[in-house]
Amino acid sequence: YQVGLLEKYRRTFDAIGTDPYPIPSSSANRAGEWTRASVASVGNTRPVWMVPQVFNWGTYSKTEEEKKSKRPPTPEEMRSMTWQCIAEGAKGLIYYSFMDLRRDTTSPFDTQWARVKQMAAEVKPMIPVILSVEPAPEFTVKADGEGTWLHYTTRRVGGTVYLIAASGDAQAHQATFDLGATPKSVRLQGQAGPIAVNGQQLKVDFAPHGVHIYEMQ
């Protein structure tokens, strides 16, 4: 949690990361913000393995009243925090924690554990993309508001360019990406067939905590 002190710890670690656990008292956007700060603190000297929240803070509450005011992250929040971390440069994820999922008396273990496994199953096939060191194009973006809710990155694997974009906000948003050139085809993961693109402009409507992963040829 000592995000501002990572430089002091850097030489004692082979890999380093931080623990953003914002739900429910704060915004899920913290996951991306802390990842960005962590990556900046160590530069390219250490891999950053972030620790997304999957537990219920109520597990640590001392009274039943306190427990009732807490909850674990929703599947949408978990997914958003996962891809925020990746978009901001995390090369590893360690969900916290199996122990607390077991200890939570208000949220069924089987339900939360199934959600964690679902997230792992979604990330696993993207490992070659996440860890790719092939040069990727840099897109520019115009996002509504101040854009602090948006976390995105590009990757290339062979002839395919990937755009990973995640919203850390509980409100709907919109962003337009300038791709620099008109792609031959664009596919949104989770949808069948290519999607239409207006020249080199890709307009994206984000649902609350929305995640979009595009494959471009």
Side-chain angles (χ1 to χ4, degrees), residues 96-166:
Y96 194 87
S97 68
F98 186 85
M99 169 188 70
D100 282 341
L101 296 187
R102 282 292 194 193
R103 294 172 56 213
D104 189 355
T105 59
T106 62
S107 303
F109 169 81
D110 289 343
T111 299
Q112 280 301 102
W113 182 235
R115 292 170 177 173
V116 176
K117 291 195 294 183
Q118 183 178 347
M119 276 311 317
E122 181 176 326
V123 172
K124 184 177 180 179
M126 288 289 288
I127 289 175
V129 177
I130 296 166
L131 299 183
S132 174
V133 295
E134 297 182 42
E138 296 183 4
F139 300 158
T140 58
V141 63
K142 292 182 179 179
D144 65 14
E146 297 181 356
T148 55
W149 54 271
L150 178 61
H151 307 269
Y152 74 97
T153 189
T154 56
R155 295 286 194 277
R156 179 190 294 276
V157 177
T160 304
V161 172
Y162 294 81
L163 169 62
I164 300 170

Side-chain angles (χ1 to χ4, degrees), residues 171-185:
Q171 304 297 321
H173 286 285
Q174 189 176 90
T176 301
F177 293 88
D178 189 327
L179 309 179
T182 302
K184 294 179 181 179
S185 66

Side-chain angles (χ1 to χ4, degrees), residues 6 10 13-18 35 38-39 42-50 89-94 131:
L6 290 196
R10 178 174 55 84
F13 284 90
D14 296 309
I16 195 166
T18 48
T35 307
S38 301
V39 170
V42 300
N44 292 320
T45 65
R46 299 291 185 278
V48 172
W49 297 354
M50 290 299 290
K91 296 299 190 293
L93 299 169
I94 304 173
L131 299 183

Side-chain angles (χ1 to χ4, degrees), residues 10-33:
R10 178 174 55 84
R11 294 186 180 183
T12 69
F13 284 90
D14 296 309
I16 195 166
T18 48
D19 310 334
Y21 304 150
I23 307 301
S25 60
S26 187
S27 170
N29 204 51
R30 183 189 297 173
E33 293 172 342

Side-chain angles (χ1 to χ4, degrees), residues 26-94:
S26 187
S27 170
N29 204 51
R30 183 189 297 173
E33 293 172 342
W34 282 27
T35 307
R36 185 187 306 123
S38 301
V39 170
S41 293
V42 300
N44 292 320
T45 65
R46 299 291 185 278
V48 172
W49 297 354
M50 290 299 290
V51 188
Q53 177 190 355
V54 297
F55 73 99
N56 180 358
W57 270 113
T59 303
Y60 294 89
S61 298
K62 296 182 179 180
T63 68
E64 290 300 319
E65 184 176 353
E66 288 178 349
K67 287 183 180 181
K68 291 178 181 179
S69 67
K70 310 296 184 183
R71 62 171 178 81
T74 65
E76 292 77 16
E77 289 167 336
M78 286 173 54
R79 186 168 188 249
S80 168
M81 290 189 288
T82 292
W83 290 106
Q84 284 182 63
C85 291
I86 292 169
E88 293 292 352
K91 296 299 190 293
L93 299 169
I94 304 173

